[in-house]
Amino acid sequence: MIERPSTREREAATLYLTDLNMRKDIDSQTDLLHFNAKVQTSHSKTRSAYTLMDPGASHCYSDSKYAKILGLPLRSAGRMSVTTAGIKHPPTNRYQVWLKAQIRGITENYADISGWFTLFDLNGVYDLIIGKNWHSPTPHLVDSDNVLHLLDADWSLLTDGRLAFVPRLSLTGLRPHQGRYREVQSHCATIAKAADINLISAEETERAMKSIGKPGGDRIFVIDIRQRPSEDTKTEDGHSILADLGKWRAQIRQDYQDLFQPPTGVPPPRDDDFRILIDPTAKVPHRQPYRMTPAEREQFKEQIKKPLANGWITNSHSRYAAPVIFVKKPNGTLCMCVDYQGLNKITVKDRYPLPYIDDLLDKLHGGGIFTKLDLASGYHQVRIHPDDCHKTAFIAPEGFYEYKVIPFGLANAPAAFMRLMHGILQPHR
């Protein structure tokens, strides 16, 4: 026997299928709902997406650049005619991406919006647009308080033969001022890029804050950086300190032009050239080259030119051989790497200590003027001892080479580089 709902529930449930997608005054874009969505990337991580709920859009859309960042596979949707913002676009070949996504209300409620999204150039205004192919099959209602109610059919509330619905989940959309976070985000990203500062997402910040106080947890510092008043930036004679500082920096760069050029050539021999000490009883690692796609072969030919021209690598006849692999960067380009796992397993490990970040920060206490040393291609400015160069040999279908300078991915390389820098900077500490 089905329990009859209360009078209040019955009154709240008088929502009919014919009235679900009806809403007044949706002509202006300000009346449409905005949400932040969580989207799963190709690496099973989540990425935030600024989302517009637009029942007038003919399909669900993903910004083309945003879809590329996610790294998910695409499928051809053939020739399609789409409608966005009241404009019907002529048929053209389009692509779609399957997104596993959820929209999030400001009260931390989630609703699934997974499905096929058609790629469309949204000019960075939105990351996702939820269109008719979600609105039509999904019973929902938007009230005057900017709240999206997802509904379930209740067969016990039939009235005059019409099916009634009850609210299942309610999500509150972003307020108008919250929808402008992308402008702030873009401005912050521009400043951070100019200052060489790495940004982290809100989700990463939230995880870091939750780990505060736990063993091995993160530590968070809040730094308030303010610009000095204009009267403090001038000397007694009225000259601008910032202008003088800019001239001084330009003069320094001119006087030491050779130091600001990309490093070329093999560094001179030193007493502390990098050594690769291996277990004498171990078997020499020698692996066959990995197969490469045509695109990887072209990348290998292109990326091998610079180290060959600089003398960092040379042809090899070594008994050692490590295969070359290519790793895809977030921007879609391929990075050539050498798989030195076999060599690293038999290498005697260097125990030179690496600095603790807490100690480094403590040493800054009381300082007023700070400088930064940005050493470009630091590893490639450390020479490998001639007796050990053959151990760095790497093999590819297009050739067999060995390094004369420290490559990336080699055991003991961080410790050796730290030892070198401590020796160079010791007189200035």
Side-chain angles (χ1 to χ4, degrees), residues 199-211:
L199 295 177
I200 63 174
S201 66
E203 289 83 359
E204 292 171 321
T205 304
E206 183 178 359
R207 288 196 296 267
M209 294 183 68
K210 290 181 179 179
S211 66

Side-chain angles (χ1 to χ4, degrees), residues 311-344:
W312 297 340
I313 64 174
T314 184
N315 292 313
S316 178
H317 300 279
S318 173
R319 294 188 301 148
Y320 293 74
V324 172
I325 59 176
F326 281 89
V327 178
K328 192 174 183 179
K329 293 183 178 181
N331 60 4
T333 60
L334 295 175
C335 177
M336 186 183 78
C337 304
V338 181
D339 185 2
Y340 280 122
Q341 293 185 75
L343 177 61
N344 291 340

Side-chain angles (χ1 to χ4, degrees), residues 2 4-5 152-159 161-166:
I2 300 177
R4 300 298 294 178
D152 276 340
D154 192 333
W155 294 90
S156 65
L157 298 175
L158 288 173
T159 304
R162 295 196 297 176
L163 180 61
F165 292 79
V166 294

Side-chain angles (χ1 to χ4, degrees), residues 151-188:
L151 310 173
D152 276 340
D154 192 333
W155 294 90
S156 65
L157 298 175
L158 288 173
T159 304
D160 298 332
R162 295 196 297 176
L163 180 61
F165 292 79
V166 294
R168 169 173 57 90
L169 180 66
S170 298
L171 295 97
T172 304
L174 297 174
R175 304 304 183 200
H177 68 279
Q178 293 173 315
R180 297 179 60 84
Y181 83 97
R182 298 188 62 84
E183 298 179 9
V184 178
Q185 185 186 54
S186 177
H187 180 64
C188 292

